[in-house]
Amino acid sequence: QVQLVESGGNSVQPGGSLRLSCAASGSTSSIETMAWYRQAPGKQRELVAAITRVGRTNYADSVKGRFTISRDNAKKTVYLQMNSLKPEDTAVYYCKADAQYAHSWNVYWGQGTQVTVSS
């Protein structure tokens, strides 16, 4: 079992920065990929960024060049550094872990953290 605890959501003005953190615990060795998703009211949840066990990353086109996903294996934590924030970045941000145990895939979600970008 994997548990995900998020932190870092806040309100910020356009052009500002935030760093989200997602700390994993439990069977962390089974995690293959971790990712950040976001969901605005009335919209579908969308992938923001992902990072694999070997460090490969993937970003949504809308955040390329502004957001950076990274990991700290010692702390069992994944981060999302968000720079040059725009009002359209406003959403609930969710951490997700894809894990494999006994040849079965499991998906775990964090509780979500609110990011609000407004002037």
Side-chain angles (χ1 to χ4, degrees):
Q1 197 74 7
V2 174
Q3 296 80 42
L4 305 174
V5 179
E6 299 173 326
S7 61
N10 213 329
S11 296
V12 65
Q13 67 181 29
S17 298
L18 286 173
R19 187 179 72 164
L20 306 182
S21 300
C22 176
S25 61
S27 301
T28 57
S29 63
S30 67
I31 297 174
E32 298 295 332
T33 303
M34 298 193 71
W36 289 97
Y37 285 71
R38 67 186 181 188
Q39 187 168 26
K43 298 183 179 179
Q44 69 180 73
R45 191 170 299 185
E46 65 174 350
L47 175 68
V48 177
I51 187 166
T52 70
R53 182 189 294 270
V54 297
R56 288 180 174 163
T57 58
N58 184 47
Y59 296 93
D61 288 341
S62 60
V63 306
K64 287 181 179 178
R66 299 189 298 121
F67 291 10
T68 302
I69 189 170
S70 62
R71 62 191 177 118
D72 185 329
N73 290 330
K75 296 181 178 180
K76 306 297 183 183
T77 301
V78 63
Y79 304 95
L80 185 67
Q81 179 66 47
M82 304 184 293
N83 299 325
S84 302
L85 283 162
K86 305 175 180 179
E88 50 262 45
D89 295 320
T90 296
V92 177
Y93 284 70
Y94 298 90
C95 181
K96 187 187 80 169
D98 296 305
Q100 187 174 22
Y101 181 75
H103 302 96
S104 297
W105 284 100
N106 294 276
V107 178
Y108 302 92
W109 291 93
Q111 78 282 1
T113 184
Q114 178 71 48
V115 172
T116 301
V117 185
S118 65
S119 59

